[in-house]
Amino acid sequence: MNDTRAPAEAVDGPLVDAAMKGDLHAWERLVRRYQEPVFRVAYLIVRDTDLAEAATRSTFVRAYRALPSYDSD
């Protein structure tokens, strides 16, 4: 079976799996990896640093809470 996922997704899979099992170190690595791009998108939308930081935090809190429903397929 060919893996058509992007390289980042292939690398993230084990981290997501570990985070789903409660590994906070794995979750921290995911947050650090995507914190900057999420902030940049938020900033482009709201054009305010404080609001973009709040949106970034909110995004990662929601993502963490949604981990149990993550489907790698």
Side-chain angles (χ1 to χ4, degrees):
M1 180 173 174
N2 290 335
D3 189 2
T4 59
R5 295 179 297 171
E9 290 175 1
V11 171
D12 291 344
L15 289 174
V16 172
D17 290 341
M20 289 174 69
K21 294 174 184 168
D23 184 340
L24 293 179
H25 179 69
W27 178 249
E28 181 181 355
R29 288 181 61 192
L30 286 165
V31 170
R32 287 178 188 241
R33 180 174 294 161
Y34 292 102
Q35 185 173 355
E36 183 72 22
V38 170
F39 173 81
R40 287 180 185 195
V41 169
Y43 184 81
L44 288 172
I45 294 168
V46 299
R47 299 287 185 188
D48 179 275
T49 301
D50 292 335
L51 289 176
E53 288 174 351
T56 300
R57 283 190 301 274
S58 177
T59 297
F60 285 106
V61 167
R62 291 183 68 196
Y64 184 78
R65 290 181 179 159
L67 277 175
S69 64
Y70 176 76
D71 182 1
S72 63
D73 293 330

